[in-house]
């Protein structure tokens, strides 16, 4: 028993060290780029997870409510569109599961109708997975939950050998955090880890006017600003940096013509920041921006363009009641 515990602790330490080294490498690459960038995937530590839950409940942040509308009120449509059969086992795999708010609506119906499946939530945040697993044990104790922390494709590659039918959920318009070239490559790589007949449910935010979109990234309470700036706090805590958060501000932009929202952290003064783990100091000019996030909005033409050279076929889509959001059903051919 002691040896087993030691092995588990050693494995967890190695995984944590690897993730920290990857974080360090990505921060180094981003701060040395011109213009400077930081990856949005590092928003999500314990503090970031809690802030994002707050964001999802803000009146300005329509995205979660819109997709929740689909999962809550059109659950049967989702099941039919995914061509799920109560008698046939499948693996339900969610990329970036978070708190599972929307997915629980689907899980509840699948469980009540005795569908045969295992639920595999995948997330970079171990904290989010632990909270989700604990919650599901309480609210849906009969659902088989197998959490997986880490890189999407590494986890998918490990599941590929099961040869079981798979349904991939990629919700919340997370695909919108990539530019179109990267998104097309991402979808292609998903297909490479799946087999013919496997399904992908892709949730995307649709192109809308600035008065609807921009407040979702710049709420009146300033929660989104805290969420964005928490990335600097995380670098301070984990990489020994000395960012003074008071010398930076959150600045979002949205261009409704191309349907792209962007988030930036802007330096409010001329300053130098040291990152001890990297062994480098970085200069910031007053007004200089660090690009932290892209939030692409979509329409049918853009989705078709992105999947044009992948192994997926677009089958149908389901809209929320306001037509703000769409869940596209793709099938691996």
């Amino acid at each position: 028993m002691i040896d087993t515990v030691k092995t588990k602790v050693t494995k967890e330490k190695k995984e944590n060290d690897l993730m920290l080294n990857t974080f360090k490498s990505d921060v180094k690459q981003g701060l040395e780029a011109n213009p400077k960038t930081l990856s949005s995937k590092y928003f999500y530590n314990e503090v970031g997870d809690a802030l994002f839950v707050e964001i999802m409940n803000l009146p300005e942040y329509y995205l979660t409510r819109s997709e929740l509308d689909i999962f809550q009120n059109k659950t049967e449509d989702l099941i039919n569109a995914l061509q799920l059969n109560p008698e046939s086992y499948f693996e339900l795999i969610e990329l970036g599961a978070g708190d599972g708010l929307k997915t629980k609506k689907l899980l509840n119906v699948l469980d009540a109708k005795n569908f045969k499946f295992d639920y595999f939530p995948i997330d970079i945040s171990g904290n989010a997975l632990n909270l989700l697993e604990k919650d599901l044990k309480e609210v849906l104790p009969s659902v088989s939950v197998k959490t997986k922390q880490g890189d999407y494709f590494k986890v998918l590659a490990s599941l590929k050998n099961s040869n079981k039918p798979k349904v991939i959920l990629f919700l919340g318009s997370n695909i919108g955090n990539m530019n179109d070239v990267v998104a097309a490559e991402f979808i292609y790589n998903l297909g490479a880890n799946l087999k013919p007949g496997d399904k992908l449910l892709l949730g995307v935010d649709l192109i809308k006017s600035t008065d609807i979109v921009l407040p979702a990234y710049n709420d009146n309470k300033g929660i989104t600003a805290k969420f964005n700036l928490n990335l600097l706090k995380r670098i301070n805590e984990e990489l020994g940096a000395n960012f003074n958060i008071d010398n930076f501000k959150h600045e979002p932009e949205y261009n409704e013509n191309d349907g792209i929202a962007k988030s930036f952290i802007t330096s409010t003064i001329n300053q130098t920041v040291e990152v001890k783990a990297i062994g480098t100091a970085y200069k910031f000019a007053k007004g200089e921006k660090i690009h932290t996030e892209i939030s692409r909005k979509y329409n049918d033409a853009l989705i078709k363009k992105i999947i044009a050279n992948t192994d997926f076929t677009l089958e149908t889509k389901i809209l929320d009641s306001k037509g703000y959001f769409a869940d596209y059903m793709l099938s691996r051919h």
Side-chain angles (χ1 to χ4, degrees), residues 8 18 27 30 36 57 70-71 78-79 89 133 141 145 150-151 158-159 174 199 218 221 245 247-248 304 314 319:
K8 184 179 180 181
L18 180 61
V27 169
K36 293 181 175 68
N57 291 311
I70 296 172
F71 272 70
L78 290 174
I79 291 171
Y89 171 85
E133 185 175 28
V145 181
D151 176 82
S158 72
L159 296 173
N174 284 330
K199 306 294 183 183
N218 198 25
K221 289 185 176 180
I245 310 303
N247 293 336
F248 292 87
K304 289 175 182 177
L314 174 58
L319 300 175

Side-chain angles (χ1 to χ4, degrees), residues 203-215:
V204 303
D205 194 18
L206 301 175
I207 294 175
K208 293 176 290 299
S209 61
T210 302
D211 63 303
I212 297 172
V213 174
L214 193 55

Side-chain angles (χ1 to χ4, degrees), residues 163-182:
N163 290 319
K164 302 294 185 183
K166 292 175 175 57
V167 174
I168 308 293
L169 305 180
F170 195 42
L171 310 179
S173 208
N174 284 330
I175 190 74
N177 294 145
M178 311 169 194
N179 65 44
D180 293 350
V181 173
V182 174

Side-chain angles (χ1 to χ4, degrees), residues 134-167:
K134 181 181 178 183
D135 182 52
L136 286 173
K137 281 182 179 177
E138 293 178 3
V139 298
L140 289 167
S142 58
V143 171
S144 171
V145 181
K146 300 180 178 180
T147 62
K148 301 285 183 180
Q149 182 181 5
D151 176 82
Y152 297 157
F153 296 114
K154 287 180 181 177
V155 175
L156 282 175
S158 72
L159 296 173
K160 185 178 180 180
N161 296 330
S162 73
N163 290 319
K164 302 294 185 183
K166 292 175 175 57
V167 174

Side-chain angles (χ1 to χ4, degrees), residues 98-109:
D99 68 350
L101 174 67
K102 293 161 285 193
T103 311
K104 286 174 204 168
K105 305 299 180 183
L106 176 61
L107 293 174
N108 190 52
V109 175

Side-chain angles (χ1 to χ4, degrees), residues 18 47 73 80 125 166 184 249 279:
L18 180 61
V47 174
N73 299 311
N80 292 335
S125 171
K166 292 175 175 57
K249 64 179 179 179

Side-chain angles (χ1 to χ4, degrees), residues 26-144:
D26 287 348
V27 169
K28 182 177 187 295
Q29 183 179 348
L31 293 182
E32 290 177 359
N34 185 19
K36 293 181 175 68
T37 65
L38 289 170
S39 174
S40 59
K41 69 182 180 181
Y42 294 115
F43 284 149
Y44 301 97
N45 60 355
E46 189 170 350
V47 174
D49 292 342
L51 286 170
F52 190 65
V53 169
E54 282 192 65
I55 289 170
M56 288 192 296
N57 291 311
L58 291 169
E60 297 96 333
Y61 197 77
Y62 61 85
L63 287 88
T64 303
R65 288 191 302 278
S66 298
E67 195 168 28
L68 181 61
D69 179 14
I70 296 172
F71 272 70
Q72 190 165 306
N73 299 311
K74 298 185 177 180
T75 321
E76 293 293 342
D77 293 344
L78 290 174
I79 291 171
N80 292 335
L82 290 169
Q83 300 173 15
L84 301 180
N85 185 337
E87 301 305 316
S88 300
Y89 171 85
F90 62 95
E91 294 175 343
L92 184 66
I93 303 167
E94 183 170 9
L95 310 181
D99 68 350
L101 174 67
K102 293 161 285 193
T103 311
K104 286 174 204 168
K105 305 299 180 183
L106 176 61
L107 293 174
N108 190 52
V109 175
L110 293 174
D111 183 45
K113 297 198 170 188
N114 297 314
F115 278 80
K116 299 176 176 65
F117 69 99
D118 288 309
Y119 173 49
F120 293 84
I122 304 174
D123 206 287
I124 195 171
S125 171
N127 175 65
L129 288 174
N130 291 336
L131 292 174
L132 175 59
E133 185 175 28
K134 181 181 178 183
D135 182 52
L136 286 173
K137 281 182 179 177
E138 293 178 3
V139 298
L140 289 167
S142 58
V143 171
S144 171

